[in-house]
Amino acid sequence: MKLALAALAAVFVVFIAAPESRAQKADRAQEGSWEKIKVHGRSLEGNLEGDSPDRDVFVYLPPSYAASPNRRYPVVYFLHGYAAHAETYWKSLDVPAAADADIANGSAHEMILVLPDAFTIYDGSMFSNSPTTGDWETYIAKDLIAYVDGHYRTIADRNARGLAGHSMGGYGTVRIGIKHPEAFSVLYAMSSCCLMNDPQRLVPGASANQPPSGALAHALSAQAAAWAPDTLNPPAYFDLPSKDGELQPLIAAKWTTNSPLVMVDQYVPNLKMYSAIAIDVGTKDPFLTTNTQLDQSLTHLGVAHIFETYDGDHGNRIKVRFAAKVLPFFSGNLTQSKGQ
């Protein structure tokens, strides 16, 4: 558990922009635009953590958006990892530049990209449904989509809508994806965490049960708030699967049943509604085993998908793969932009 939790925050890389060249300045006409907005989540109202239901959201608009008022575009929603804000990923992935470059070199079509912020009092929502954290599943699959479709020129159809994410966001992609095929038609899960949650490893005395610290100090609380809420247990409003060194079977079961490797068998008809599903993970990632098990489960269940491993750890190749793999994958599988 300690190793797995450590991987949740192993994604922070500082990128220093090089001075802009004269050629780059000349190419500005081929650049998209972006904006930071607030999107209210009715599904997040009244959460017991006290997190605001008004969430920061970053939106990338492709180069032709301003000049083509009758054109509509597919949308990709990207979910960030634990202990990070959407802005962290927006900058580290260099989202506008990555999209502009892919569009310019022909590896991707024009798309709208949306990155919502799910940072909470415990540093991450786990993109789950809980009275303690709020209903993040519905926020992503309904509230956010309704806002984006209502305020931007999207193709308001699941065939033009994709969901992706990394680490906690990969978990959210799998979790929300299997439950909401009516909202999305293409999924891409990167280095997903939390695919199998073993609460017995949280019992004091277990070999990996060391309290996390630093950026991960709230990781167990975040998971407990998402998966084992308790409205009668203030001030935290959640339960841990162990108490006084003893495993609490009912609480432990709640953690386990929030594992996609446990859920997936129950959602085969939903998964078969997707036109394309991709999973990837680095060969040095501590989540390699569980991501491989997800690949094997989907194969055994007859769910078409792509699974790819690569030479990397939990975070060191994410920027490159976002541009080289994720955006082209959605471009090749979503309905393309319509109109002029």
Side-chain angles (χ1 to χ4, degrees):
M1 178 63 71
K2 184 178 181 181
L3 179 61
L5 289 175
L8 292 175
V11 295
F12 303 107
V13 180
V14 177
F15 297 96
I16 301 175
E20 188 177 37
S21 69
R22 183 175 300 176
Q24 288 172 321
K25 293 178 181 179
D27 285 341
R28 282 179 179 173
Q30 304 303 315
E31 294 177 353
S33 62
W34 65 273
E35 53 196 37
K36 179 182 178 182
I37 61 173
K38 291 277 188 183
V39 178
H40 180 76
R42 184 176 180 181
S43 302
L44 304 179
E45 292 176 355
N47 70 82
L48 297 176
E49 288 182 349
D51 292 311
S52 174
D54 299 310
R55 310 303 304 185
D56 289 338
V57 177
F58 289 80
V59 180
Y60 166 84
L61 302 173
S64 71
Y65 190 87
S68 302
N70 297 318
R71 190 172 179 181
R72 292 187 171 273
Y73 301 83
V75 186
V76 173
Y77 294 82
F78 189 92
L79 309 180
H80 65 78
Y82 179 75
H85 287 275
E87 185 170 9
T88 308
Y89 273 69
W90 186 262
K91 292 180 177 179
S92 65
L93 298 179
D94 206 359
V95 173
D100 287 343
D102 278 6
I103 292 167
N105 66 31
S107 60
H109 299 294
E110 292 196 319
M111 298 176 285
I112 295 172
L113 305 177
V114 178
L115 276 71
D117 194 301
F119 193 89
T120 66
I121 189 174
Y122 297 120
D123 302 344
S125 70
M126 306 311 299
F127 295 107
S128 299
N129 174 8
S130 157
T132 304
T133 62
D135 185 355
W136 277 90
E137 292 179 11
T138 301
Y139 177 75
I140 298 298
K142 295 185 179 179
D143 296 350
L144 182 58
I145 287 174
Y147 183 94
V148 171
D149 284 348
H151 290 77
Y152 297 94
R153 296 195 312 276
T154 68
I155 303 172
D157 182 275
R158 68 176 294 272
N159 293 315
R161 200 180 292 130
L163 180 65
H166 170 252
S167 193
M168 179 184 78
Y171 170 81
T173 297
V174 177
R175 180 189 180 102
I176 295 171
I178 64 178
K179 294 186 177 185
H180 292 282
E182 81 286 350
F184 307 100
S185 66
V186 180
L187 303 176
Y188 198 122
M190 308 178 76
S191 306
S192 301
C193 79
C194 315
L195 295 176
M196 185 63 220
N197 304 301
D198 181 2
Q200 295 202 49
R201 298 184 67 187
L202 302 178
V203 177
S207 60
N209 187 41
Q210 298 297 322
S213 60
L216 296 166
H218 297 144
L220 299 183
S221 296
Q223 294 172 336
W227 303 331
D230 186 346
T231 62
L232 301 180
N233 187 24
Y237 297 105
F238 62 72
D239 297 317
L240 290 170
S242 64
K243 184 177 181 180
D244 299 326
E246 297 292 330
L247 187 70
Q248 306 298 301
L250 178 58
I251 305 306
K254 293 181 180 181
W255 285 56
T256 302
T257 55
N258 278 278
S259 306
L261 284 172
V262 175
M263 298 180 195
V264 66
D265 303 65
Q266 307 301 314
Y267 291 94
V268 174
N270 286 5
L271 287 165
K272 288 188 175 181
M273 292 175 62
Y274 282 90
S275 59
I277 298 173
I279 301 165
D280 73 13
V281 64
T283 55
K284 298 179 179 66
D285 193 317
F287 299 122
L288 172 63
T289 296
T290 51
N291 278 265
T292 302
Q293 290 171 336
L294 179 58
D295 162 51
Q296 293 168 344
S297 293
L298 294 179
T299 299
H300 294 160
L301 294 168
V303 176
H305 67 287
I306 294 171
F307 178 64
E308 185 175 352
T309 61
Y310 56 90
D311 183 17
D313 58 30
H314 190 63
N316 67 336
R317 298 286 300 281
I318 303 306
K319 177 182 179 181
V320 171
R321 293 188 66 82
F322 176 76
K325 296 290 185 176
V326 176
L327 295 182
F329 183 77
F330 283 106
S331 180
N333 288 287
L334 293 177
T335 299
Q336 297 182 22
S337 56
K338 298 179 178 179
Q340 300 295 326

